[in-house]
Amino acid sequence: MKKIAILGSTGSIGTQTLDVVAANPERLMVVALAAHQNDDLLEKQIRKFHPLVAALSDEQAARRLRQRYDGPTEILSGPEGVMAVATCSDADTVVGAMVGYAGLKPTLAAIAAGKNIALANKETLVAAGSLVMDAIQKKGVQLTPVDSEHSAIFQSLQGNQHKDLKRILLTASGGPFRGRSREELEHVTVEQCLHHPTWTMGTKVTIDSSTLANKGLEVIEAHWLFDAPYEKIVPIIHPQSIVHSLVEYSDGAVIAQLGVADMKLPIQYALSYPDRWPVAFDQLDLV
């Protein structure tokens, strides 16, 4: 039984992580949850998963929740509350699913507390990759990537020597505007940006994907995760989002990981590694 804390439980990755927990009740237990200001959804999560502690970084949202909820879960607030979730003594694994730079300090605190990290918050590595990876190495904890592309790379590297790595091929769908001219792009709307052709994601990642800025962040993330020089990380367009990424080796072999466009699969692998668990989610059927 793995005991997990989720930073960003009301966001896209956080809610899907809880779906994975619900599908694996004999393997996963939620002991701590943290969110920003969605007190209504956090309350529903608390009542369903019964964590020991939950936190809202927004003080007013936490006050509203305390007025409604009088159960056994301790309700904390502010940055200190989020840090308490990140370092919860009952958790052995922390899922980093907060949006943006805000995830850095809690992630570093979790590592310092000896927690394994399942990392979805790419900005943590973009902002401070050297600090995070040094801390991981010094504490001897495990970091598993949650991003679908980086999970694919992680899986494709298993059982192979790092010295044999020739290139990492980082796939990108191309977003909703692939193939449009500069003139056609002048009048796109936010609503069009949020309509991703293959993935259902949070607002920030979806917007970043529409401009391909997200792929730039993922190149930086791959650099730190896999200790690979930038010239060996090659983004390639793959509109179907079936091949999640590939690794090319010095002997010419190319190993890829394939799957449906569903974040629950890489989330589960990040939590199950090095094991693989049966899933109740959609699966790719090439036949």
Side-chain angles (χ1 to χ4, degrees):
M1 178 70 72
K2 289 190 177 182
K3 297 179 179 180
I4 67 172
I6 303 174
L7 302 173
S9 68
T10 59
S12 177
I13 294 296
T15 55
Q16 291 180 86
T17 300
L18 289 172
D19 290 339
V20 171
V21 172
N24 294 277
E26 73 285 0
R27 297 185 178 99
L28 296 171
M29 176 188 296
V30 175
V31 296
L33 297 172
H36 176 42
Q37 61 182 7
N38 192 339
D39 54 299
D40 290 332
L41 181 52
L42 183 62
E43 181 180 2
K44 292 176 182 176
Q45 294 174 345
I46 290 170
R47 294 188 185 279
K48 180 174 182 179
F49 293 97
H50 311 290
L52 300 174
V53 60
L56 285 155
S57 58
D58 185 275
E59 299 280 0
Q60 292 184 347
R63 193 176 303 115
R64 291 194 301 265
L65 180 54
R66 290 192 189 100
Q67 291 172 351
R68 299 193 306 267
Y69 177 77
D70 59 356
T73 298
E74 183 180 8
I75 307 298
L76 303 176
S77 61
E80 298 82 6
V82 175
M83 296 293 274
V85 168
T87 58
C88 177
S89 59
D90 290 87
D92 51 60
T93 301
V94 173
V95 178
M98 295 175 70
V99 176
Y101 176 75
L104 175 58
K105 285 186 178 181
T107 300
L108 286 172
I111 295 168
K115 313 298 182 185
N116 293 323
I117 306 295
L119 188 64
N121 172 241
K122 61 177 65 70
E123 291 86 357
T124 288
L125 291 180
V126 171
S130 60
L131 294 177
V132 174
M133 299 311 293
D134 285 349
I136 289 284
Q137 187 173 16
K138 288 176 182 177
K139 290 297 294 187
V141 297
Q142 177 178 286
L143 187 153
T144 49
V146 169
D147 261 355
S148 63
E149 296 87 349
H150 301 83
S151 175
I153 296 163
F154 181 69
Q155 294 180 61
S156 298
L157 287 169
Q158 297 303 311
N160 294 287
Q161 298 293 322
H162 192 278
K163 65 180 177 61
D164 297 325
L165 173 68
K166 183 178 179 181
R167 290 191 302 178
I168 290 171
L169 304 177
L170 188 72
T171 60
S173 71
F177 307 126
R178 180 177 59 88
R180 295 201 188 187
S181 67
R182 181 180 295 272
E183 290 73 24
E184 290 174 317
L185 292 173
E186 288 180 358
H187 305 291
V188 299
T189 65
V190 172
E191 289 72 22
Q192 289 174 311
C193 292
L194 289 169
H195 188 66
H196 197 278
T198 53
W199 288 96
T200 301
M201 305 173 290
T203 301
K204 181 187 184 299
V205 177
T206 305
I207 292 291
D208 285 351
S209 294
S210 73
T211 64
L212 296 188
N214 185 62
K215 204 54 51 178
L217 299 180
E218 289 182 354
V219 168
I220 299 171
E221 183 182 9
H223 165 72
W224 290 112
L225 280 173
F226 307 115
D227 190 25
Y230 286 111
E231 59 269 22
K232 288 189 176 184
I233 305 170
V234 182
I236 56 173
I237 300 295
H238 169 55
Q240 297 81 7
S241 300
I242 296 296
V243 179
H244 295 302
S245 276
L246 314 90
V247 174
E248 184 178 357
Y249 289 95
S250 56
D251 63 355
V254 179
I255 297 178
Q257 187 267 328
L258 287 69
V260 298
D262 186 342
M263 282 304 302
K264 291 189 285 292
L265 302 177
I267 290 169
Q268 178 166 293
Y269 186 68
L271 295 173
S272 70
Y273 177 80
D275 299 326
R276 291 185 181 273
W277 301 336
V279 295
F281 315 120
D282 291 341
Q283 298 179 50
L284 179 66
D285 186 350
L286 292 176
V287 176

